[in-house]
Amino acid sequence: MSIEVMLNASGLGFVVAGARWGQTDGQVMFLFVLAMAAAEVSVGLALVLRLYHLYKSLDVDASSLLGG
Amino acid sequence: MLIIFYVAAAIAIISTVMMITRMNAVHALLYLVVSLLAVAIVFYVLGAPFVATLEVIIYAGAIMVLFIFVMMMLNLGERAIQMERSWVNPGTWVGPAILAAALLIELGFTLSARPAAQTHATDPKAVALSLYGPYLLGVELVSMLLLAGIVGAYHIGFTGPEEKETVDATKLDRERTLAGGHLVHAGAGRIAVPPQRDIYADVD
């Protein structure tokens, strides 16, 4: 959720810059940020579900090992 | 128009701060929805109605529904709230807060030194022409990114059939209790068999 806030802030910056100079590039960049956020959220939530199935907890410290 | 902008911006900032400081994840999500809607109003005032509409539909609609779905599915309960409360002590967030406040003051000086720009609306047609004109390659890249996101989410979230068969409701309940999790009384808890009297107790 905090990543969502940060991406939204960057998108706001793009749109404000686009409105400042009267260009549409800012809004196009915001669309790209939006699509990227959607893809990132889907993968991240799938990871969270997987973590919960494995550890029955959402504590990130529980998953401190990498395995193939 | 200016008053609308300032009110929406204040609502966005306040609701984002409230979202970060909430202990309950669902409350934080509600504040996040409010924040996104306020940002959509800011977009509209800035002269970007197309982006404002997309913000409401995709962010406040689709992505937030995804978050709510996963949160209701996990149902962490009281123990996680206690743990998070122990994490939020002043020593951890004072430093970043001071740095962010310095950035904010800097931003205020920059904005006050420069005359404010007048806003003019850009219609969706111009955005679309720019999107499918010089940014056509970017659109294709984003479509491939979305496809990769879908496939990745499916691959990560896929539990094999042999894994699914071994998990039944009572086992899940027991493991949750051992882990200290919160039991869902309305759902899986009802499936658990009550302890039965041993009918062979007095038969040797």
Side-chain angles (χ1 to χ4, degrees), chain A residues 15 19 27, chain B residues 40 42-53 120-123 127:
Chain A
V15 170
Q27 301 190 27
Chain B
V42 169
F43 281 159
Y44 184 76
V45 173
L46 279 175
F50 180 56
V51 166
T53 313
H120 38 79
T122 47
D123 55 336
V127 178

Side-chain angles (χ1 to χ4, degrees), chain A residues 4 8 24 27 30-31 34, chain B residues 36 54-55 59 122 130 156:
Chain A
E4 288 304 306
N8 209 13
T24 57
Q27 301 190 27
F30 180 77
L31 295 186
L34 199 67
Chain B
L36 291 177
L54 277 185
E55 171 100 6
Y59 257 120
T122 47
S130 175
I156 292 171

Side-chain angles (χ1 to χ4, degrees), chain A residues 52-66:
Chain A
Y52 188 74
H53 276 290
L54 272 180
Y55 296 107
K56 301 290 177 292
S57 161
L58 282 188
D59 195 359
V60 194
D61 296 334
S63 62
S64 55
L65 291 178
L66 280 178

Side-chain angles (χ1 to χ4, degrees), chain A residues 28-29 31-37 39, chain B residues 131-132 134-150:
Chain A
V28 173
M29 280 300 158
L31 295 186
F32 290 163
V33 167
L34 199 67
M36 200 265 289
Chain B
L131 186 63
Y132 289 105
Y135 285 101
L136 191 58
L137 187 64
V139 172
E140 295 297 327
L141 284 176
V142 160
S143 71
M144 286 179 64
L145 176 71
L146 280 176
L147 180 66
I150 292 170

